[in-house]
Structures are given as structure tokens and as C-alpha cells.
Amino acid sequence: MSEIRDRQFAPPSLAEQERMVEAMLFASPTPLSLRDLTARMPPGADPAEVLALLRRRYEGRGVRLVRVGEGHAFRTAPDLAWLMQTERVETRKLSRAAIETLAIIAYHQPVTRAEIEEIRGVAVSRGTVDQLLELEWIRFGQRRMTPGRPVTYVVTDTFLDHFGLESARDLPGLRELREAGLLDNRPLPSGLRPAHDTAEDAPEGQTELFED
Amino acid sequence: MSEIRDRQFAPPSLAEQERMVEAMLFASPTPLSLRDLTARMPPGADPAEVLALLRRRYEGRGVRLVRVGEGHAFRTAPDLAWLMQTERVETRKLSRAAIETLAIIAYHQPVTRAEIEEIRGVAVSRGTVDQLLELEWIRFGQRRMTPGRPVTYVVTDTFLDHFGLESARDLPGLRELREAGLLDNRPLPSGLRPAHDTAEDAPEGQTELFED
Amino acid sequence: MRPPVADPVSPEDRTPGVAERLAAEALIVDVEGFEGPLDLLLTLSRTQKVDLRRISVLQLAEQYLAFVNKARALRIELAADYLVMAAWLAYLKSRLLLPPDPSDAGPSGEELAAHLAYQLERLQAMREAAAQLMARDQLGRDFFARGLPEDLRQVRRVSYAASLLDLMQAYARIRTKDEFRPYAFDRRDVYTMEQALERLRGLIGFAGDWVDLLEWLPQEWEADPARRRSATAATFAATLELAKGGQVEIKQTDTFAPIQIRRKP
């Protein structure tokens, strides 16, 4: 009680006022306006001046004093926002459209969107290409020197890395795909199955039934 | 993405680490342990060293860096409590039985229910313990390796946080009580035991007449 | 705050006047404010106005017994705890008053009294500790946590996985689109394990001796290599199934040697 009365005689020092504003802004669940601060502080206090001091004090620190509308509040420094999240990694399979688009780019690079669409026979959605770009599996190649100068897509080193390839040339060719049974979905005539048709290359367990 | 990878090459400077810890502790309503901090910081960071720096930086300010058991947290300076009328949370008033039980657990931990009852000379009602458990001020400790393997109770970091204690060793008057032998588990000189020791076997309800 | 405890009344005073009755009732009503017999004893001990270490346990026991008698006179039911304590204190009192019995190996009256004094001192100490604890600055009352915590956001990072095989299959699918049809399993050339099991169950009865597995293939499956492989695999799987069931035994003398089976003897 007497403490409160004492406070009314002389306004607290600026340093003390700074402590007060600091504590109030820290503890308040909402930003506090100048008026809020004044109402809570002893008479004669000058929160406006103190806010400026405090703002400077927190400059470059992990939290900053920011203005939110009429209010003032502490907030995490934007460059540290990444500390405020925890990552949960979820593995998902690529959509069929994405994997096909990726395959076409890998086999035909550099390739334009129109060419991809021609090969797939359907339009390529923007999302599909964006997804592959975001995964850093494809990137823009040089523009094609044809009318409209369309951009081309090529696969990246990240792509090669992910698929365990030294270069895009290491991708199995059409002949190998055929030999691997990937191009032909009907069983080959009996006895004609190529010797290197090992389980590793075989698409599904089904053909393994017929392995020696 | 690449930002995260870059960060892995060299640990950030101490100043930068200080900003990180400051940001994380400011943002969290509950204390964060060294392990929590380390988990969120880039490899090679040393939050322990940074905490000491930070604690000094906030000495005498409106908010302070305090230690709470295994955790660390920013809390407003207690001398500014009068400014925080609006933030005050009215807590349910604890019964005398609950307060005494809490004190006995804090000073005697780990302690069994029978020991609490021996000290208080009355059965501990279920509600009392439940209330303290619900407040997360106490938790179950290890079972006592005596016949019946009774559970023990210990106080939590939430308790320490609530009462502004760094650890249970900082309880007021703990040393004096220990030196006076008042924290010893001193059994009655013979098998003859006064009534309250059988409280656990006493029909429930009867003794609770005398609880709050 | 409870009112001061009335002077102990000796058990002989059985006819209390109105004033005494009222005083006694006030005391009894107050019983419910006590946290058990130890608490009552602690309160009674304060009337002695001495340090708990120098308390007269004998006097305390008498005060307590008087209290309990009074409660009885008023037909107030005391909880068992209070009565058991009364019995114990009556015993303690007799131990303190009578000369020690040399044949008694138990603790002396003084030891028992000392322990009771210790319990009272300990309870008192815990009460004071509790008061000190509650007088501390408390979170949410005297000091505060961040009022606007910035929650730790859970960020879901999706990592897409695709294997080289997926890629190749996708490409193959596109390149063969015109002739693409969903893979249909060609049943004509597959000999199933169920078929083989059925066949073996019929034959096993005759196989007392070791028989080469291949001899048991159905004849119509032997000519075509693909069909023969399927039949071989199915038959082999079926024999394993039968061996598991304890019906046949299998042996192979060497790697790649013929696999032989016979009915389990």
C-alpha cells in the first residue's frame, strides 16, 4: 500500500519504467496499446519514450518489440521463425502424373511442356511440374529456339542422386525396358525369356513365379 | 531447405545461439530443457553456455531467465507483480489438507501415502492427492522396495515453476529441518503404534469426516 | 482460527451446567476442524505455552482424554482415529505413572512420550514449511510466464519417394500406351499350389519310398517349359506344406540334386 502511495510522488526512473513495460508486454496475452500501458503504470510514467528505448534494446535480439495495430508486443525475430516449428517428415508416393512427367523429362530432356503433353497424350498440370521443380528433380533448361521460345525441362543432379544414376544416359533404354518385360505386359513365348531377366529388374513378383 | 543444410556446416556464433535460445524460451510458456533446446538448434550449438550468457543479460530486467528443475524459462520479475493485476489467474484455493500434503511430499520426497499419513496423523483423502496430481504439482515416483511395494510421490518441475524454485533443494528451511532431524523417517521405538498409523486400513469415510 | 480450547474437564464432572454445555459444544463442533488426533494434540499442547520439546506429554495425554470424555458425555461420535489415540494415550499415561516393570522388554514410557513429542514437532514443522511455501512468490500471481506464447508449429514436410523402377514403369506405360492393357494374370499356364496339394494328397498314400519330386508333376504340364516350371514350383510348395503338416519327409542329397519325398513313416 505505502509502496503504491510512494510511487505517486515521483515517477519511476526511465530504467524502472522500462522494466515495467518489458514485464507487462511479456506477460500480456494481447498486444498492449499506449493507453493500456499508461493506465497500468504509475502517474508520470511515459510509456511512449520507454517503448522506443525498449525497441532499441531488443534490436537484433532473438525477440523484437513490434507494433501490432495500436498495440505493442514481443515477437520472435522473423529470421528465427524456423526455430518455432518442428518438422515431421511424411513419405508419400509420387502421383502417377508426376512420375510419368518425370520419366518423360528424364528420357527426352531437354523437353518442352508441349512435348511432354504430346507423349503423355494428356495435358500436364501446372501443379505436377511445380511439384517436380520443388523436389529439385527437374529444372529449367535452355529455351528452345522455336517460335514462342518455350522453356525446356531437364533433370537435375538431385534427381540422379535420388535414383542412383551417374547420368541421365544411364537410364535403361527402350530395348532394355522391353527385355526387362516392362514394355511388354504379355508373357513372352515360353523359353524365350532373356537370361538377364533377373528378379531385380522384374516389375512385380508375378513373373518371379516363372523364374528358375 | 538449403538454408538448413548450410547451417549444418558450422555451428552458429555464440551471439547467434544466444538469439536462438532467447527466441525459443520467449516463445514457450513452459520451461524448456537443455535437451529441448539442443534438439531444435543446429548441430554443434551449445545452449548450456548460451544460457549463462542470457541469464546475465536479463539480470535486473523486467523479465528474468530462471531455472526450473531441468528446464529454463523467462518469467517476469516478482517485484513487478502489482502491474500484472489483469494477468493474475485466480487459482482454486487449496484445502489445508492439500497444502500440508504438498509440503510433506516436497520436503520428504519420495514419500509414500502411509508416511504422509503418519506425519499428518490422519488418513490422506483420495481427493487431496488427486487434486495435487491434477495440478501436476506431484507425480508418482518409484515404488518403494518394501512389502507391498507402495508407490511414492515426488514433486514435479511444474511445482518448482509455480513456486519459483530452481530445485527441490531450494525449498525454504530445508536445511534447518534436516539438521533438526525433522525430516528423518523415525519410527516408533517398538511395534506399538498409535492409531493414525492404521489409517490406511481404517474404513474410508470415517476419517474423511475430519478432512476439509 | 479456532477458539481457545476449554479447560479440560475431569471425567468426574458428569453434570455440566448450561454454560459449560455451551462451551463444550463449541469445542466439539470445532472437532471437525481438526485434521485428526495429532492435530488436536498439537492444538491442546499450545495451552501449555512451552516449546514443543519441553512439553509435558503426561499433561497432554490427560488433556486429550478429558476432551474425548467430554465428547462422549455429549454423545458426539468421535471417529475411530480419535478413540484409538485415546486408548493409546491412556496406555502411555499408565506407563508414565507406574514404576517400570523390569520384565517388560518394550520401550519405556519416556521413549513413547519422546516419540509423540517428536511427531508433534514434526507436524508443526511441516505446517510452518507449508506456510512458507505458500508465502513464496507464485506463478500467475507474483510472476508471470509469456502471455502470448508462440506455439511450436508442427510442420509436415512431405517427402516424395519414387524408385527407378517406378520411373521406368511409368515410361514403359507411356511408350506402350496404345497396346496397353491392365496386366491380366494368365491362369492357363499357372499350376496353383492348391491344385498341387490336392493331387499330392491323392498320391501320398502310395509313396512309402523316396520318390523324385519331378515324377509327381502332372503329365500334361511337363512338355511346355513355362508350364513345367509352374507345376514344379507349385508341387514343391505343396510338399513343403505337407511336410509342415507332418505328412511327408523331404530330402535332397546335394545342392541342385533331385528333391525326394516320401510319406512320413
Side-chain angles (χ1 to χ4, degrees):
Chain A
M1 249 346 108
S2 66
E3 197 191 346
I4 289 175
R5 236 175 292 125
D6 289 349
R7 276 200 300 273
Q8 291 177 342
F9 291 131
S13 68
L14 272 185
E16 189 57 22
Q17 289 186 40
E18 205 187 308
R19 291 183 72 229
M20 293 176 185
V21 173
E22 186 178 39
M24 282 188 284
L25 292 182
F26 176 85
S28 173
T30 54
L32 294 177
S33 68
L34 214 51
R35 196 177 345 164
D36 296 331
L37 293 168
T38 310
R40 286 163 70 170
M41 289 173 77
D46 183 2
E49 189 178 349
V50 168
L51 279 168
L53 287 173
L54 212 50
R55 187 186 301 259
R56 263 202 301 285
R57 180 184 290 276
Y58 277 91
E59 228 157 61
R61 313 271 333 139
V63 289
R64 306 185 314 169
L65 184 52
V66 298
R67 194 176 172 125
V68 185
E70 285 299 295
H72 302 268
F74 282 116
R75 289 279 193 275
T76 305
D79 68 305
L80 297 177
W82 58 272
L83 275 170
M84 301 300 138
Q85 39 189 261
T86 49
E87 270 192 5
R88 193 156 50 90
V89 178
E90 209 172 83
T91 308
R92 262 192 237 157
K93 260 205 157 349
L94 271 188
S95 70
R96 179 169 159 166
I99 190 90
E100 285 184 9
T101 304
L102 181 64
I104 293 167
I105 295 170
Y107 277 95
H108 295 265
Q109 65 170 346
V111 63
T112 67
R113 177 190 286 251
E115 288 161 353
I116 298 169
E117 291 180 340
E118 193 187 316
I119 295 168
R120 278 195 73 212
V122 284
V124 175
S125 82
R126 189 171 188 86
T128 302
V129 174
D130 284 351
Q131 187 185 18
L132 295 173
L133 285 169
E134 205 177 299
L135 282 166
E136 293 181 39
W137 282 353
I138 64 168
R139 61 177 173 82
F140 295 111
Q142 290 194 315
R143 286 183 182 275
R144 187 64 57 77
M145 286 304 154
T146 55
R149 305 194 63 222
V151 297
T152 61
Y153 299 99
V154 294
V155 292
T156 62
D157 286 354
T158 312
F159 165 88
L160 297 175
D161 205 31
H162 181 94
F163 290 95
L165 297 166
E166 293 228 337
S167 78
R169 280 189 301 279
D170 290 347
L171 280 168
L174 276 188
R175 197 176 56 89
E176 286 122 318
L177 288 181
R178 190 184 307 284
E179 283 171 352
L182 287 167
L183 278 191
D184 195 334
N185 37 56
R186 273 176 300 249
L188 293 175
S190 44
L192 287 182
R193 202 154 279 268
H196 65 267
D197 180 11
T198 61
E200 212 167 24
D201 299 329
E204 305 288 329
Q206 276 172 343
T207 51
E208 284 173 47
L209 264 181
F210 298 92
E211 293 297 306
D212 290 291
Chain B
M1 204 66 48
S2 63
E3 196 192 346
I4 288 175
R5 234 174 293 126
D6 289 347
R7 278 199 299 271
Q8 291 179 342
F9 288 131
S13 67
L14 272 188
E16 191 56 21
Q17 289 185 41
E18 201 187 311
R19 292 183 71 230
M20 292 176 186
V21 172
E22 186 179 38
M24 285 187 282
L25 292 182
F26 242 80
S28 172
T30 51
L32 296 178
S33 72
L34 219 48
R35 191 170 3 153
D36 296 332
L37 294 169
T38 311
R40 284 163 63 185
M41 290 174 78
D46 183 5
E49 190 176 348
V50 168
L51 281 166
L53 288 173
L54 212 50
R55 185 189 287 254
R56 267 201 300 284
R57 181 183 291 275
Y58 277 90
E59 238 159 50
R61 315 261 339 129
V63 291
R64 308 181 310 170
L65 180 54
V66 298
R67 190 188 172 121
V68 180
E70 291 298 301
H72 303 268
F74 278 115
R75 298 288 181 249
T76 63
D79 67 301
L80 298 175
W82 58 275
L83 276 168
M84 311 292 163
Q85 297 308 329
T86 41
E87 277 79 31
R88 248 183 115 132
V89 275
E90 278 315 316
T91 42
R92 192 154 49 119
K93 251 204 152 1
L94 282 183
S95 69
R96 187 172 142 200
I99 293 169
E100 275 181 31
T101 303
L102 178 65
I104 291 168
I105 293 171
Y107 284 83
H108 290 260
Q109 65 170 349
V111 63
T112 65
R113 177 186 283 253
E115 286 159 356
I116 298 168
E117 291 179 338
E118 187 184 327
I119 293 168
R120 293 197 65 228
V122 74
V124 175
S125 84
R126 207 180 171 74
T128 301
V129 173
D130 284 353
Q131 192 184 12
L132 295 174
L133 283 168
E134 210 176 290
L135 281 166
E136 289 180 44
W137 284 355
I138 65 167
R139 62 176 176 81
F140 295 109
Q142 289 195 315
R143 283 179 183 278
R144 187 66 56 79
M145 286 303 155
T146 53
R149 306 194 64 225
V151 297
T152 61
Y153 298 100
V154 294
V155 289
T156 62
D157 280 1
T158 309
F159 164 86
L160 297 177
D161 192 18
H162 187 90
F163 291 98
L165 294 162
E166 284 207 3
S167 82
R169 282 186 302 278
D170 296 329
L171 284 164
L174 184 72
R175 209 169 53 107
E176 294 83 341
L177 287 172
R178 187 169 290 138
E179 279 167 6
L182 288 168
L183 299 182
D184 303 346
N185 185 16
R186 197 184 293 178
L188 193 66
S190 85
L192 221 185
R193 324 221 98 210
H196 56 260
D197 208 33
T198 59
E200 216 168 21
D201 309 324
E204 201 113 352
Q206 230 179 18
T207 48
E208 290 189 19
L209 270 181
F210 296 89
E211 293 286 309
D212 282 5
Chain C
M1 279 291 120
R2 64 178 68 96
V5 174
D7 280 336
V9 183
S10 72
E12 289 81 10
D13 291 342
R14 282 298 157 115
T15 49
V18 176
E20 279 177 333
R21 277 277 295 269
L22 285 176
E25 266 168 14
L27 178 66
I28 296 303
V29 167
D30 199 44
V31 164
E32 298 191 11
F34 288 111
E35 302 258 337
L38 265 194
D39 184 26
L40 174 57
L41 279 168
L42 198 55
T43 306
L44 291 172
S45 72
R46 287 200 194 107
T47 61
Q48 294 192 15
K49 295 193 174 88
V50 290
D51 189 303
L52 271 179
R53 284 160 213 251
R54 292 191 291 128
I55 201 161
S56 159
V57 169
L58 183 60
Q59 195 189 333
L60 190 61
E62 279 168 355
Q63 283 175 294
Y64 185 94
L65 293 172
F67 174 89
V68 167
N69 282 331
K70 204 170 188 175
R72 277 187 181 147
L74 288 163
R75 296 167 198 275
I76 302 260
E77 254 188 78
L78 283 177
D81 279 1
Y82 288 80
L83 300 178
V84 178
M85 178 59 90
W88 189 81
L89 286 173
Y91 166 79
L92 175 60
K93 192 176 141 189
S94 70
R95 293 290 297 258
L96 288 171
L97 292 176
L98 298 174
D101 179 356
S103 68
D104 193 343
S108 69
E110 280 71 27
E111 282 171 319
L112 294 176
H115 186 73
L116 180 61
Y118 169 73
Q119 282 182 296
L120 292 175
E121 197 188 346
R122 183 172 60 179
L123 180 59
Q124 180 61 31
M126 279 300 109
R127 295 232 162 121
E128 282 159 11
Q132 281 187 59
L133 188 64
M134 299 314 282
R136 282 187 71 84
D137 289 335
Q138 292 182 35
L139 180 65
R141 191 187 77 182
D142 306 298
F143 60 94
F144 296 83
R146 176 83 184 270
L148 190 65
E150 290 167 70
D151 281 336
L152 202 55
R153 265 175 304 138
Q154 271 271 349
V155 177
R156 221 178 38 185
R157 190 161 65 82
V158 179
S159 135
Y160 285 94
S163 67
L164 189 57
L165 189 63
D166 294 332
L167 194 71
M168 284 157 49
Q169 279 176 326
Y171 190 61
R173 201 159 55 221
I174 301 159
R175 299 310 306 213
T176 59
K177 201 160 42 211
D178 300 337
E179 45 186 319
F180 181 80
R181 65 176 172 97
Y183 190 90
F185 205 69
D186 202 338
R187 293 263 153 212
R188 206 166 41 87
D189 288 331
V190 175
Y191 192 66
T192 66
M193 192 180 92
E194 286 69 34
Q195 283 174 291
L197 260 179
E198 200 173 314
R199 184 178 151 80
L200 284 182
R201 285 209 175 95
L203 292 171
I204 196 73
F206 305 100
D209 239 338
W210 291 107
V211 180
D212 195 329
L213 178 81
L214 294 178
E215 283 178 38
W216 282 11
L217 298 190
Q219 221 173 2
E220 62 276 23
W221 285 74
E222 286 186 14
D224 182 317
R227 283 166 66 85
R228 184 182 162 84
R229 270 203 293 273
S230 175
T232 308
T235 305
F236 179 59
T239 59
L240 289 179
E241 191 63 30
L242 289 173
K244 203 169 98 189
Q247 289 165 275
V248 301
E249 290 178 324
I250 307 177
K251 78 168 178 185
Q252 185 177 30
T253 51
D254 203 356
T255 316
F256 300 123
I259 293 167
Q260 294 186 301
I261 59 175
R262 71 169 179 192
R263 191 183 64 212
K264 193 160 180 164

